[in-house]
Structure formats: C-alpha cells, structure tokens
Amino acid sequence: MNRTRMQIYYSGKVQGVGFRYTVKTVATGFDLTGTVRNLPDGRVELVVEGAKDELEAFCGAIRESGLDHFIQKEEASWGDAQNEFRGFEIVR
C-alpha cells in the first residue's frame, strides 16, 4: 500500500467542544495512524497517514460527524508518510 501523510489545521470553534475526542472516535473506522492536538493559538492540528483515498474519506467523515459547524477554515497539506505513528492518539 502506498501511504501518504496529510496535515490539517482546523480553525473556528474547535477547542472545548469535544473536537479531538470525536476525531479519534471517527478514526477507529479507518486504516490510518496519526495524532490530533490543540494548538495554543486556538486551532486543532491533525496529522494522519494512510492511503490517500482513506485519508480523503476520513476528512469527509470528520465533517459528517457533526463537527462541520465548528470548522470555519481547514488548511490541508500533503506529503510523504514518515511512518512515525502507532495507532491514532490525542496528543496533549
């Protein structure tokens, strides 16, 4: 499988609303690894690796999980997988 890496910064009302917990719950339905964490500037950072179609479906599932109305802006970038994650975790 050709793995790739996606990094997304979410802005809006994305902290204090269960955003990270919901993303972790959604991740259990996908074959991917990565982390989600709050940033000091009020954004949430998602770094995830897997097959490109799996990552795109995961992004859609995040929005469909009820988080869509909290997200004002989504900045995504793609790169090569670095295989540094085991599973999917919330980072504090």
Side-chain angles (χ1 to χ4, degrees):
M1 174 178 73
N2 193 9
R3 292 174 61 84
T4 190
R5 180 183 185 104
M6 180 176 63
Q7 182 174 29
I8 301 179
Y9 292 101
Y10 292 102
S11 10
K13 184 168 174 47
V14 292
Q15 290 190 12
V17 294
F19 195 94
R20 293 173 302 158
Y21 177 79
T22 302
V23 169
K24 181 172 173 44
T25 301
V26 171
T28 60
F30 292 88
D31 182 20
L32 47 80
T33 59
T35 61
V36 62
R37 68 183 178 126
N38 285 343
L39 297 175
D41 64 6
R43 297 180 299 163
V44 169
E45 178 191 41
L46 171 66
V47 180
V48 65
E49 296 183 351
K52 187 170 173 75
D53 60 340
E54 192 85 356
L55 297 178
E56 290 170 343
F58 177 50
C59 281
I62 289 171
R63 287 192 163 272
E64 292 168 10
S65 71
L67 295 176
D68 194 40
H69 66 281
F70 295 117
I71 302 168
Q72 282 183 345
K73 187 175 178 186
E74 191 176 300
E75 300 169 67
S77 60
W78 295 85
D80 295 330
Q82 298 174 16
N83 299 310
E84 64 183 283
F85 306 115
R86 288 180 183 233
F88 190 90
E89 299 177 342
I90 295 173
V91 178
R92 303 208 187 296

